[in-house]
Amino acid sequence: MVYVSNQMRTEELAALDAAHHLHPFTNGDELNAKGARVILRAKGVTLTDSEGNDILDAMAGLWCVNIGYGREELAEVAARQIRELPYYNTFFQTTHVPAIALATKLAELAPGDLNHVFFAMGGSDANDTNIRMVRRYWAAKGKPEKQVIISRKNAYHGSTMGGASLGGMAAMHKQGGLPIPNIVHIGQPHWYAEGGEMSPEEFGLMRARELEEKIAELGEGKVAAFIAEPIQGAGGVVIPPESYWPEIQRICDAHEILLIADEVITGFGRTGNWFGSQTLNIRPHIMTIAKGLSSGYAPIGGSLVCDEVAEVLNGSGEFAHGYTYSAHPVAAAIALENLRILEEEKIVEHAGTVAGPYLAEKWAALADHPLAGEARSIGMMATLALTPDKASRAAFASDEGTIGLICRERCFANNLVMRHVGDRMIIAPPLIMQPSDIDVMIERAVRSLDETYDKVKAEGLLKAR
Ligand SMILES: *Cc1c(COP(=O)(O)O)cnc(C)c1O
């Protein structure tokens, strides 16, 4: 038997990983040839790898570690809960204290009358729940033909069959025969990439009105819901023009459809308020939550549901849906403790009034870099478009993502985790970042951008498409 421990050499660990571990969203052969980086531990905003590098985590893991790493309280709560009740289901007309406490707390924190929660293990399966829930809702109201869910191109709603179908990622749809039936996609409010000569506000309105056109085309009697991320995350931190969401809200109000806000990233302080819907003044009927709900310390997600939808669901017999680990007591207890920390330590306010504004100022200044086309942020998420020609917002002549990947590798070499989406660099750091952390992050980002610029120029890649 192989005994794997953190005392092993990096090469041995990476070899075993290559031999036995299939990575998500990864080219396996490519990764196995170079070996995965082994992350051993983390504290605050810093990861430590098996080579002893201390790396600033500007992605908060995968958009989730809102309170930062290494909080003892969550370890304590997890240990206590495992000793008391490690597992029990909520199918058998049974419940438990962590489920009750978390559902009650979420109802208190959520805006409007989102007073009910159906628990999942993450965002993808919560969105699967949403597909089934909105269809069930309309069937219960005597409108079973309202089946279609409208989403957007380049949206990300997870990677299950349902989640990936709701999402609008072309590369995902190509694999496995997606999307599943009755899910359709309209354009995204991505002015920088697609707005051409229009002003951002004109373009935002135009893209919002695609929703109304799609409803008319399908017939209102066929449409169950519209789903969208308040701010697209995995699509490249796409901050919509200001005209977009008010128009979407108007259209949803004018037609008989449900609005689902996928707040898996934008929830729990990311945009400087508890929910992105508050920052952008959106009134959803259902809200998808995960990631920051537990700050990633345990897998848990869910659907926050408004009074009316919950009443109809509750009043229409059995909803034949659920997961073994819905409201898992250990995950629920951890999430509850995470929410306590976010609230009592005023971390959401910190993100909204201290870290967010400081980041906004420093990040915006990156637009002066010769490689940068736009640099924008909202709360604690930010995006930087790389371009060979600022004035025309041109894409590079090379395959999309070539320059982004170079930049990401320079970032890693400079002990900074920054993600690339195509040729766009994005961050979503832990909300607890102090201005001094942001200074370090920006300094490493600038150094990485300088090195990227040198490399791109030297390799003759500074060409517009
Ligand atoms: C990450 C993400 C999901 C999927 O969540 P998982 O926990 O990975 O299943 C869904 N929606 C959005 C907006 C996300 O960012």
Side-chain angles (χ1 to χ4, degrees):
M1 200 189 98
V2 190
Y3 179 72
V4 179
S5 85
N6 62 3
Q7 303 302 312
M8 272 181 161
R9 286 183 306 114
T10 303
E11 302 77 63
E12 287 178 282
L13 288 166
L16 288 169
D17 188 78
H20 304 296
H21 180 195
L22 296 168
H23 286 244
F25 286 101
T26 296
N27 177 327
D29 280 351
E30 204 176 272
L31 175 66
N32 293 343
K34 66 177 181 189
R37 191 183 278 255
V38 182
I39 306 300
L40 288 185
R41 64 183 76 86
K43 184 93 192 149
V45 299
T46 307
L47 308 165
T48 303
D49 72 9
S50 55
E51 303 284 273
N53 295 305
D54 288 330
I55 309 161
L56 190 68
D57 185 7
M59 277 307 296
L62 209 40
W63 321 85
C64 53
V65 189
N66 291 11
I67 62 168
Y69 298 93
R71 292 298 302 243
E72 277 297 320
E73 300 91 326
L74 276 74
E76 294 294 333
V77 158
R80 206 184 312 140
Q81 189 58 46
I82 289 171
R83 291 196 177 99
E84 193 166 309
L85 181 71
Y87 177 74
Y88 201 70
N89 75 69
T90 48
F91 290 28
F92 294 172
Q93 308 213 332
T94 43
T95 188
H96 47 69
V97 175
I100 299 166
L102 182 58
T104 305
K105 186 70 203 174
L106 285 168
E108 179 194 315
L109 290 173
D113 66 348
L114 296 166
N115 289 321
H116 315 265
V117 55
F118 194 105
F119 286 109
M121 292 76 69
S124 306
D125 47 325
N127 278 326
D128 280 24
T129 295
N130 293 338
I131 296 173
R132 300 199 54 199
M133 190 185 284
V134 299
R135 291 177 179 169
R136 169 96 185 131
Y137 167 84
W138 288 116
K141 301 222 349 157
K143 298 185 175 173
E145 65 291 354
K146 279 173 86 71
Q147 290 270 319
V148 179
I149 300 169
I150 302 174
S151 179
R152 306 180 298 177
K153 293 172 190 153
N154 198 36
Y156 189 78
H157 297 298
S159 191
T160 51
M161 293 292 283
S165 295
L166 289 175
M169 300 280 174
M172 292 174 77
H173 287 178
K174 266 191 221 142
Q175 299 178 359
L178 301 179
I180 57 173
N182 286 326
I183 293 175
V184 300
H185 300 83
I186 58 173
Q188 58 174 334
H190 194 342
W191 173 79
Y192 183 89
E194 302 176 356
E197 299 294 311
M198 293 175 94
S199 74
E201 300 316 312
E202 282 166 353
F203 178 75
L205 273 184
M206 184 195 83
R207 280 290 150 91
R209 286 179 186 153
E210 284 185 26
L211 176 59
E212 200 153 43
E213 287 155 24
K214 187 56 86 178
I215 294 169
E217 175 195 322
L218 295 163
E220 196 172 309
K222 292 271 163 47
V223 182
F226 173 63
I227 183 169
E229 304 152 85
I231 293 152
Q232 286 156 266
V237 182
V238 180
I239 303 170
E242 279 181 20
S243 57
Y244 182 76
W245 271 109
E247 184 67 1
I248 289 284
Q249 185 68 55
R250 180 193 70 71
I251 295 165
C252 290
D253 291 345
H255 300 276
E256 194 185 43
I257 64 168
L258 297 174
L259 174 57
I260 308 169
D262 185 340
E263 294 246 18
V264 169
I265 286 175
T266 52
F268 306 102
R270 178 57 60 198
T271 68
N273 290 296
W274 276 93
F275 297 96
S277 291
Q278 294 162 323
T279 303
L280 296 174
N281 205 9
I282 307 167
R283 297 184 309 279
H285 298 94
I286 298 174
M287 199 187 258
T288 321
I289 54 173
K291 295 194 172 124
L293 167 58
S294 64
S295 281
Y297 282 65
I300 185 166
S303 307
L304 278 166
V305 180
C306 71
D307 287 342
E308 212 264 328
V309 172
E311 257 166 51
V312 170
L313 268 187
N314 283 334
S316 58
E318 179 182 324
F319 180 32
H321 174 67
Y323 307 109
T324 301
Y325 296 141
S326 285
H328 190 286
V330 179
I334 289 171
L336 192 64
E337 183 66 3
N338 171 59
L339 297 182
R340 185 192 67 73
I341 289 173
L342 279 173
E343 193 170 34
E344 287 186 13
E345 297 182 6
K346 300 196 175 354
I347 293 171
V348 177
E349 287 88 332
H350 173 78
T353 62
V354 180
Y358 192 79
L359 174 66
E361 184 195 325
K362 299 284 160 176
W363 191 266
L366 292 178
D368 294 336
H369 194 276
L371 262 189
E374 71 164 355
R376 300 182 66 196
S377 70
I378 183 163
M380 290 296 276
M381 57 198 297
T383 183
L384 177 75
L386 306 181
T387 178
D389 181 9
K390 286 172 187 276
S392 67
R393 317 199 300 271
F396 290 95
S398 48
D399 287 346
E400 201 193 343
T402 306
I403 314 302
L405 183 63
I406 293 173
C407 187
R408 190 194 71 172
E409 301 211 310
R410 293 326 306 152
C411 290
F412 243 130
N414 288 314
N415 287 338
L416 172 67
V417 179
M418 180 148 74
R419 185 173 175 186
H420 80 106
V421 173
D423 294 317
R424 192 168 264 275
M425 305 309 297
I426 59 175
I427 58 161
L431 307 185
I432 54 158
M433 268 204 170
Q434 295 299 326
S436 57
D437 299 316
I438 294 172
D439 288 341
V440 174
M441 180 172 75
I442 296 289
E443 181 202 305
R444 291 181 191 178
V446 169
R447 195 184 323 147
S448 306
L449 283 167
D450 288 345
E451 292 171 9
T452 304
Y453 186 71
D454 291 346
K455 185 166 167 153
V456 165
K457 222 167 138 185
E459 294 182 8
L461 292 170
L462 203 60
K463 283 201 275 287
R465 191 168 293 171

